[in-house]
Amino acid sequence: MLQHIQEFGSNVIKTFDELVAGIDPRIKDYPLMQSPVPMTGILLCYLFFIMYLGPRIMAKRSPFQLKEAMIIYNFLLVALSIFIVYEFLMSGWVTTYTWRCDAIDTSNSPQALRMVRVAWLFWFSKIIELMDTIFFVLRKKHSQITFLHIFHHSFMPWTWWWGVGYAPGGMGSFHAMVNCSVHVIMYFYYGLSAAGPRFQKYLWWKKYMTAIQLIQFVLVSLHATQYYFMESCNYQFPIIIHLVWIYGTLFFILFSNFWVQAYVKGKRLPKQDIKSHQNGSAVYTNGSSPLLRPLLWMTGIRTLSRALRY
């Protein structure tokens, strides 16, 4: 029995070493790219804080007033997102890419290395965006911390670490560029919203945020779909295309459902924090952190609507 356990452990370590050895050598010197362990540790600490430690710390405290910090944070992300979009464009998307089957340039040319850099920067921006949830915890906006919110903020940086490590560039980077384009608008909206009531008159376009998200998922899915109709494509990592297609299609369905419920049927949810887990939409109850109920949250429109509100 002990021998089998040791063999299993050895095989796991061998497989892990082989996976890490396959990382693009051009990106291995970037911070947090030597191994997935530090990145995984950061995400586990994030989950532990937002689901357990943070709510316990804040249970008997008044919410923090973080207006200035949030304004600075959101507008810095606007600037970062603009820079990332520009770098993606200049690294290939408006210079050498065809917008169809674009392979990863594995050379050490200046443009190829520029794409590697912006791919890493996009991934690192997802680590920065973990602050979204931390702000929710410190402000005691527990109803905003839904399963979809947590899943998106933890799943994206974990999967993109592997995407950046193996495939920094090529047609698989299209959704990253589109995502950052949407984030320019999204964090601009959040920045104005954080500035206070005097800016509310400038936020009349709130509902169009959902439309912008829908356009994003349509573009991403369509771009990935063309791969399946090509006679041949030399893109090196088709699994990236499969994951992008699944991600874009799934979230298009979920956001479409939200649009219909919120803006066609008018079933807008109240802004108050939920005090119970009715319909499985709340993550916390009275500052505690029960086990996630993903099946309920994934099927409830309330989950998605709260994921969209800041």
Side-chain angles (χ1 to χ4, degrees), residues 9 18 28 50 58 78 89-90 96 99 102 137-138 146 161 166 170 180 187 202 261 267:
E18 290 174 351
K28 281 190 174 181
I50 66 171
M58 296 301 299
V78 170
L89 291 171
M90 300 310 296
T96 58
W99 296 68
D102 294 299
V137 172
L138 297 179
T146 63
W161 188 93
Y166 279 91
C180 274
Y187 281 105
Y202 302 114
Q261 297 296 327
K267 295 180 180 179

Side-chain angles (χ1 to χ4, degrees), residues 224-245:
T225 298
Q226 64 179 332
Y227 175 82
Y228 302 108
F229 295 93
M230 296 176 184
E231 292 185 3
S232 63
C233 180
N234 59 348
Y235 179 71
Q236 297 93 321
F237 296 96
I239 189 173
I240 301 294
I241 303 302
H242 304 328
L243 290 174
V244 167
W245 188 90

